[in-house]
Amino acid sequence: MTQLQTWIDLLDQTNEEPNLKAEFQVVTPMFIGDGEQKADSIRPPAIKGALRFWWRALNWSRCLQQAGNEASALKQLHDEEAVLFGLAAKQDAQGNQTGGQGVFSLKLTQKLELLKDWSPGAGIQYLLGQGLWNYKEKLLRNAIADGSCFTIELRWHPNRLDIAASKLVLNVSSIKETIDDALMAFGLLSGLGSRARKGLGAVSITALSGSRWSVPTSMKSYKETLQKLLQPRLSTRVLPPFTAVSANTRLDFSSTGKAANALLEEMGGQMQMYRSWGREGKVNGKSAEQNFRGDHDEALFATQGEQPRKQPERAVFGLPHNYFFSSTKGKVDIHVKKDAAGERRASPLFLHTHLLPDGSFVAVQLLMPAVFLPGNNPMLEYKSKRSFTLPASDADWSVITRYMDRFKNKETVITTDLQGAQ
């Protein structure tokens, strides 16, 4: 029996009331799973990973203000996260143990069903991408069906909370609030599994106890809760070094409807029309917009053995980019030249569909710009028959906000201060 399973079983045996309890509904199919990618359950580490992400995103602004500079703020954020969420135990140079468990335990119960007989439209197929969808083989992995439910219970460890408060020079209440906030952000804006940033595996919080927050009861209160949650983090104007809430953040309610997958299909369809070059001038039977001729031409040059001169404008949506030209059968893969930061750049745009108490849904799009590529002189690499490198330039964030502006009935809930991206 693994240590993790032992820990889960011990939690199952306790009769203590949880300090925080939240219930969730899976809103769109969730491609999550074990080491073999079988979607048979949601595991506590996946939840804890999502809470860590939102905790960092919400606390970057505070750490920067307190520390005064980016390097010190990153260290403060890392130190706080390690104490609150836990870190692998080890000995330092003086033989003292560092790391260990965090300040709370997490219990997860779930009632899940597997997805059956799903035939997503072209827009969702586009969002699924090559890893989850193939036009011949269809879905490449199984998934947890929308409508499934799970419950998270958190129990504080009083002794560890006291130690954390002393070590971090914070009070216990403020520590609890930061984790409470992360749980709420997860329930209002997030998802789990592959393609979560593309709106797959979206979750919505449906019940909550022990929190200073309440589950929104309407579209109006959903909007007000998000503004109250994110507003205190909007004062930092410089681009964060990682995905985090800042004055550069933009939040839109793009559309509303009675079916979550229909809203996801609409977002995927709009994104495909905006970004795709098409085949023989068509995208899904419609005339292709071909908004990014420069991206198309430079990638085609690379497949023909010519040095690209300008990075793709659409790189701001995330990397890598894969191109295939049906006319020449040429292929090129554009990614971050491998370094300590890896070969990928995650998308700064989060698609989410949220379930409201009246059974309707809202399509949410959250843009959280950050430094496009970290490090000195970051490079892009084009891999085709020949390989090329190209210095990465600053991202043009308006490429994304022009996509967000395509939704005619959108409501911008939080406006960005980013130059050129309003």
Side-chain angles (χ1 to χ4, degrees):
M1 181 179 293
T2 65
Q3 185 176 4
L4 175 62
Q5 189 60 52
T6 302
W7 173 59
I8 294 171
D9 290 346
L10 286 173
L11 285 173
D12 286 341
Q13 295 167 11
T14 182
N15 292 320
E16 293 180 11
E17 287 296 317
N19 301 107
L20 271 173
K21 182 177 179 180
E23 299 176 17
F24 300 85
Q25 181 170 323
V26 178
V27 174
T28 56
M30 182 184 290
F31 293 84
I32 199 169
D34 57 13
E36 297 179 350
Q37 298 186 330
K38 293 180 180 177
D40 56 357
S41 66
I42 299 171
R43 288 166 170 72
I47 300 293
K48 211 164 184 179
L51 295 180
R52 280 178 179 262
F53 170 84
W54 284 107
W55 184 89
R56 287 193 294 267
L58 295 176
N59 284 279
W60 167 248
S61 178
R62 173 182 60 81
C63 287
L64 184 60
Q65 290 174 9
Q66 293 174 347
N69 62 72
E70 184 176 298
S72 297
L74 283 170
K75 183 179 185 306
Q76 179 179 334
L77 195 77
H78 175 269
D79 291 345
E80 289 187 13
E81 181 183 340
V83 172
L84 302 188
F85 288 86
L87 190 68
K90 58 183 181 181
Q91 287 188 334
D92 62 18
Q94 288 72 43
N96 301 314
Q97 180 173 315
T98 62
Q101 295 182 6
V103 299
F104 65 89
S105 298
L106 185 151
K107 178 183 176 181
L108 178 63
T109 54
Q110 47 202 305
K111 185 178 181 181
L112 309 177
E113 293 185 7
L114 281 180
L115 183 68
K116 298 176 182 176
D117 302 326
W118 194 39
S119 299
I124 292 179
Q125 292 174 24
Y126 183 73
L127 296 176
L128 288 168
Q130 297 177 356
L132 300 178
W133 179 265
N134 178 280
Y135 75 98
K136 289 183 178 177
E137 302 174 46
K138 309 305 178 184
L139 281 177
L140 301 178
R141 286 170 48 184
N142 64 356
I144 292 170
D146 43 308
S148 298
C149 300
F150 64 94
T151 300
I152 296 173
E153 297 180 14
L154 297 185
R155 291 179 176 82
W156 305 117
H157 293 301
N159 291 339
R160 293 182 201 148
L161 274 171
D162 290 339
I163 293 171
S166 174
K167 189 177 292 186
L168 301 175
V169 196
L170 296 170
N171 61 57
V172 168
S173 295
S174 66
I175 290 174
K176 290 180 177 178
E177 287 180 0
T178 64
I179 296 171
D180 189 16
D181 291 350
L183 181 67
M184 197 61 187
F186 169 68
L188 297 181
L189 293 168
S190 194
L192 293 171
S194 297
R195 297 278 168 176
R197 293 191 183 198
K198 291 291 189 292
L200 279 305
V203 302
S204 294
I205 192 166
T206 55
L208 182 62
S209 61
S211 171
R212 65 195 182 106
W213 297 98
S214 299
V215 175
T217 56
S218 64
M219 177 82 86
K220 181 174 181 289
S221 66
Y222 179 52
K223 173 183 173 181
E224 291 171 347
T225 303
L226 283 172
Q227 289 174 325
K228 188 176 179 181
L229 180 65
L230 301 181
Q231 202 73 41
R233 283 86 181 182
L234 301 178
S235 58
T236 302
R237 297 189 178 281
V238 296
L239 279 177
F242 61 92
T243 303
V245 180
S246 71
N248 308 293
T249 295
R250 172 173 161 175
L251 175 67
D252 280 11
F253 290 176
S254 299
S255 188
T256 57
K258 296 294 184 183
N261 284 336
L263 293 179
L264 190 60
E265 174 69 22
E266 181 185 2
M267 289 189 282
Q270 287 286 358
M271 186 174 288
Q272 187 179 22
M273 287 302 299
Y274 178 65
R275 293 174 38 164
S276 295
W277 182 259
R279 186 173 183 176
E280 298 178 347
K282 298 287 185 180
V283 175
N284 295 328
K286 302 177 183 176
S287 296
E289 297 179 9
Q290 300 185 342
N291 294 310
F292 299 96
R293 175 174 291 277
D295 290 8
H296 170 274
D297 291 351
E298 294 293 328
L300 181 60
F301 292 156
T303 66
Q304 296 169 342
E306 295 184 36
Q307 168 71 46
R309 296 157 298 184
K310 184 181 178 184
Q311 76 178 29
E313 287 183 275
R314 290 170 299 165
V316 69
F317 277 99
L319 290 168
H321 274 191
N322 301 304
Y323 291 83
F324 171 70
F325 296 90
S326 56
S327 57
T328 63
K329 309 303 180 189
K331 296 180 180 178
V332 63
D333 171 45
I334 305 172
H335 58 86
V336 183
K337 187 173 174 55
K338 191 171 185 179
D339 58 14
E343 296 180 315
R344 306 181 65 86
R345 203 298 180 186
S347 174
L349 180 66
F350 292 66
L351 278 57
H352 176 73
T353 48
H354 195 79
L355 171 65
L356 297 171
D358 65 358
S360 64
F361 296 86
V362 55
V364 180
Q365 301 198 76
L366 174 65
L367 173 63
M368 289 195 282
V371 173
F372 180 57
L373 293 178
N376 298 321
N377 194 28
M379 304 288 287
L380 299 184
E381 186 170 36
Y382 291 63
K383 283 188 176 179
S384 188
K385 291 181 179 177
R386 290 182 60 190
S387 292
F388 302 96
T389 56
L390 187 69
S393 55
D394 291 340
D396 179 359
W397 301 100
S398 70
V399 171
I400 294 182
T401 55
R402 288 203 302 273
Y403 155 74
M404 298 173 76
D405 288 339
R406 293 171 66 92
F407 294 82
K408 295 179 180 178
N409 296 321
K410 76 177 189 312
E411 179 186 6
T412 299
V413 176
I414 292 175
T415 58
T416 177
D417 282 357
L418 202 60
Q419 289 295 318
Q422 288 87 353

